């Protein structure tokens, strides 16, 4: 136990140790240990760099009526955004938390096996950041589409949330967001490896990432039990209403990055705003976020987070409980 004042004020033995590690075969399965560097090579003209149906702007009439190559440019830019998001997520939001967990600096009273696995996750996540950065550089060299990277919106939104939270919660916000992101990302990665329209290197890199993240997902589901039950009742009641905002922060489209990609592709400011607004109608975005977050919300319900009326109402107000048996 650290000598500093604990941020987690809940009961000392609130969680029964039922942890079952998914990392017993890590040396033989982790991508950082056994997978090769994914090399892009020459990409056939018929392949796409990102699934068009996951990039609504490319179906907009203004884009379809644009210059030849505009759709390809936007799909490459979307791949850049995806890879940059991964690099920044691992570097900014995940690695600081897993390092803290592995070194016992979090006051969660995790088991020795969980500490050991946190070290392995730290190694995995550093590799994910590196191979995403590497592939992005390869795509830029192959396509000659300029890199126009902006800070992902989640970084700025987390800073705003941190400043808005009561002082007693600011030390736990990072872990809460890490739990949210690590239990959401494995679902996002599920379909891309099977899409043979994509270059092989892209598919294989996403598959490498997905296989690792399946284990991380299970780990952070276990961490959530320790985390939630280590909070005091007051902390739970204060943090709970912020959880929907953390979910939305992770899943909502990065409108700023999408706008920038439209502008760098040659659209006017007015055209870009029109394409953006009409490609991402609010009701559709909210429904997509709700669908993608179902499993994570169920995990929070399992630990009792939604038993708090204010927390339950916050999830409901965010449109995240529709169709869930809670």
């Amino acid at each position: 136990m650290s000598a500093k004042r604990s941020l987690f004020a809940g009961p000392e033995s609130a969680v029964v140790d039922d942890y079952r590690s998914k990392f017993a075969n890590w040396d033989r399965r982790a991508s950082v240990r056994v997978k090769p560097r994914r090399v892009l090579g020459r990409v056939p003209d018929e392949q796409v760099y990102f699934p068009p149906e996951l990039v609504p702007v490319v179906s907009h009439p203004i884009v379809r009526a644009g210059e030849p190559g505009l759709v390809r440019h936007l799909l490459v830019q979307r791949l850049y955004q995806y890879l940059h998001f991964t690099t920044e997520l691992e570097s900014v939001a995940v690695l600081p938390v897993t390092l803290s967990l592995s070194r016992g600096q979090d006051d969660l009273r995790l088991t020795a096996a969980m500490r050991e696995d946190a070290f392995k996750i730290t190694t995995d996540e550093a590799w994910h950041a590196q191979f995403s950065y590497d592939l992005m550089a390869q795509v830029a060299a192959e396509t000659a589409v300029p890199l126009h990277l902006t800070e992902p919106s989640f970084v700025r939104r987390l800073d705003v949330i941190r400043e808005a939270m009561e002082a007693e919660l600011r030390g736990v916000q990072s872990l809460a967001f890490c739990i949210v992101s690590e239990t959401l990302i494995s679902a996002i990665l599920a379909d891309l490896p099977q899409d043979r329209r994509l270059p092989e290197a892209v598919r294989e890199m996403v598959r490498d990432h997905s296989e690792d993240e399946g284990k991380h997902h299970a780990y952070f589901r276990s961490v959530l039990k320790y985390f939630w039950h280590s909070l005091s009742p007051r902390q739970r009641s204060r943090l709970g209403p912020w959880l929907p905002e953390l979910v939305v922060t992770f899943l909502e489209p990065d409108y700023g990055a999408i706008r920038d990609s439209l502008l760098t592709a040659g659209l006017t400011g007015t055209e870009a705003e029109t394409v953006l607004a009409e490609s991402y109608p609010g009701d559709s975005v909210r429904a997509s976020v709700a669908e993608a977050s179902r499993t994570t919300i169920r995990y929070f319900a399992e630990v009792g987070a939604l038993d708090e009326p204010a927390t339950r109402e916050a999830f409901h107000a965010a449109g995240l409980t529709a169709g869930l048996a809670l």
Side-chain angles (χ1 to χ4, degrees):
M1 173 74 71
S2 169
K4 67 184 185 304
R5 180 180 66 84
S6 175
L7 293 168
F8 306 99
E12 185 74 25
S13 57
V15 179
V16 175
D17 178 18
D18 60 354
Y19 180 65
R20 297 293 179 266
S21 176
K22 302 291 186 180
F23 293 84
N25 60 356
W26 182 80
D27 283 325
R28 302 185 304 277
R29 297 295 299 275
S31 63
V32 69
R33 301 300 295 257
V34 299
K35 299 297 177 65
R37 177 185 182 232
R38 301 305 180 180
V39 178
L40 187 64
R42 185 187 176 281
V43 176
D45 292 341
E46 65 271 15
Q47 291 200 303
V48 296
Y49 282 87
F50 210 82
E53 59 273 15
L54 300 182
V55 189
V57 296
V58 302
S59 298
H60 194 279
I62 291 177
V63 171
R64 288 294 180 185
E67 295 291 329
L70 178 56
V71 169
R72 176 180 179 272
H73 177 99
L74 291 173
L75 292 177
V76 172
Q77 289 290 346
R78 181 63 186 89
L79 178 59
Y80 289 160
Q81 292 164 16
Y82 166 80
L83 295 171
H84 185 52
F85 175 92
T86 301
T87 298
E88 292 298 286
L89 177 70
E90 309 294 27
S91 303
V92 174
V94 180
L95 282 169
V97 171
T98 59
L99 280 169
S100 177
L101 294 175
S102 62
R103 297 173 64 205
Q105 295 182 321
D106 48 81
D107 299 306
L108 286 184
R109 298 177 285 276
L110 300 183
T111 66
M114 295 185 77
R115 301 273 183 219
E116 181 180 349
D117 287 349
F119 272 114
K120 293 172 182 175
I121 294 172
T122 298
T123 303
D124 287 345
E125 302 294 31
W127 173 234
H128 298 165
Q130 194 277 327
F131 68 38
S132 296
Y133 179 86
D134 176 42
L135 185 61
M136 184 166 57
Q138 292 185 60
V139 172
E142 168 67 15
T143 64
V145 174
L147 283 164
H148 292 286
L149 301 177
T150 58
E151 184 178 68
S153 61
F154 83 85
V155 177
R156 299 186 296 277
R157 291 177 70 167
L158 285 180
D159 286 340
V160 171
I161 291 170
R162 186 179 296 109
E163 288 302 313
M165 280 182 168
E166 292 112 320
E168 66 185 289
L169 295 180
R170 290 178 189 162
V172 302
Q173 175 260 357
S174 295
L175 179 52
F177 182 72
C178 188
I179 291 169
V180 166
S181 65
E182 288 295 289
T183 54
L184 287 171
I185 196 168
S186 55
I188 293 172
L189 297 168
D191 295 331
L192 295 185
Q194 282 72 51
D195 192 337
R196 301 190 67 84
R197 296 172 300 172
L198 305 179
E200 182 179 12
V202 174
R203 289 186 281 114
E204 293 303 319
M205 189 220 71
V206 176
R207 180 176 286 109
D208 294 344
H209 193 183
S210 179
E211 289 173 357
D212 290 340
E213 289 298 340
K215 296 179 177 64
H216 301 181
H217 179 125
Y219 177 85
F220 277 96
R221 182 182 183 184
S222 294
V223 169
L224 173 58
K225 300 174 186 177
Y226 284 80
F227 171 60
W228 196 255
H229 293 293
S230 294
L231 297 172
S232 69
R234 175 182 169 85
Q235 286 175 315
R236 292 176 204 163
S237 66
R238 296 293 189 273
L239 177 62
W242 284 104
L243 297 175
E245 180 65 20
L246 295 178
V247 170
V248 173
T249 293
F250 183 81
L251 289 175
E252 195 170 54
D254 189 336
Y255 300 114
I258 299 166
R259 182 184 297 106
D260 286 347
S261 70
L262 293 168
L263 294 173
T264 59
L267 273 66
T268 68
T270 299
E271 288 173 333
E273 291 298 335
T274 299
V275 171
L276 193 62
E278 294 179 358
S279 299
Y280 293 94
D283 289 347
S284 177
V285 170
R286 284 188 290 273
S288 295
V289 170
E291 179 63 27
S293 63
R294 283 173 179 262
T295 298
T296 294
I297 293 171
R298 178 165 56 82
Y299 294 163
F300 277 104
E302 286 173 353
V303 298
L306 275 71
D307 294 346
E308 290 277 347
T311 299
R312 191 182 187 89
E313 175 54 32
F315 273 98
H316 179 72
L320 298 180
T321 56
L324 290 175
L326 299 176

